[in-house]
Amino acid sequence: VFSRIGGTETKKVNVRVIAAENSDIQDLVADGLLREEFCHRITKNEIHIPALRDRKEDIETLINFHIGISGELENTKITAEAVAVMKERKWTGNIRELFACLDVSLAFKKQEPINYPTLCVEDLYFRDYGSPQETEKKSVLSVGTPASF
């Protein structure tokens, strides 16, 4: 129940809020960055989802899910070696980083199925190639010969 600022009419609403935070909410309350009453309201049904690096068993399922929703690529396969390589990565960007890597791998894949050499895990994450231009050059050259126009 609320009333608009300056209004006299009381309005009734039914709202559910889904929120995500990568900081400890109790620490935010202790530091005065979050009101305690609000904290109690939003943590009523708290769900903790561990980081992707702590649930490597989900990686293959997520890979297959993402490939499946990528439109015309629904029949694309990925080798066991490529899955194993992806399970070894720390994935600090969680699922977004995994999906971005898959998107690049799908865009630049040379053949079916996706295998370790076509993965972006190492090449496209700015390894020590020097400048961003040199990184781009190596990435383009790894895909194949440039087309003539």
Side-chain angles (χ1 to χ4, degrees):
V1 177
F2 75 98
S3 60
R4 292 183 179 163
I5 296 175
T8 56
E9 185 181 341
T10 302
K11 302 248 180 198
K12 187 175 182 177
V13 293
N14 183 5
V15 177
R16 286 188 172 81
V17 175
I18 298 174
E21 179 57 58
N22 62 356
S23 301
D24 187 311
I25 293 177
Q26 298 302 326
D27 289 345
L28 295 174
V29 171
D31 294 342
L33 299 172
L34 188 65
R35 290 175 48 173
E36 189 170 2
E37 62 157 299
F38 182 67
C39 175
H40 290 302
R41 290 177 190 262
I42 65 170
T43 59
K44 187 175 182 180
N45 295 316
E46 187 174 356
I47 300 171
H48 176 72
I49 301 174
L52 187 56
R53 66 182 164 274
D54 298 331
R55 50 191 178 100
K56 296 197 182 274
E57 67 278 0
D58 292 346
I59 289 177
E60 187 168 5
T61 302
L62 290 166
I63 290 169
N64 291 326
F65 168 77
H66 191 66
I67 288 173
I69 63 168
S70 296
E72 73 279 357
L73 303 168
E74 63 189 32
N75 295 321
T76 300
K77 303 288 183 223
I78 187 165
T79 65
E81 178 190 18
V83 171
V85 168
M86 295 181 96
K87 284 183 176 181
E88 291 302 311
R89 188 165 176 80
K90 291 196 186 327
W91 300 111
T92 55
N94 281 310
I95 293 173
R96 283 185 291 271
E97 182 183 3
L98 172 67
F99 287 176
C101 178
L102 283 170
D103 288 341
V104 170
S105 297
L106 290 167
F108 289 111
K109 71 185 174 82
K110 297 176 190 173
Q111 74 270 343
E112 286 280 337
I114 295 173
N115 58 17
Y116 176 65
T118 59
L119 287 175
C120 72
V121 173
E122 294 181 17
D123 291 336
L124 297 177
Y125 279 92
F126 296 127
R127 243 175 142 197
D128 191 19
Y129 292 141
S131 69
Q133 292 81 10
E134 190 63 26
T135 302
E136 181 180 10
K137 178 181 174 184
K138 283 196 177 268
S139 297
V140 169
L141 291 175
S142 73
V143 173
T145 57
S148 330
F149 294 103

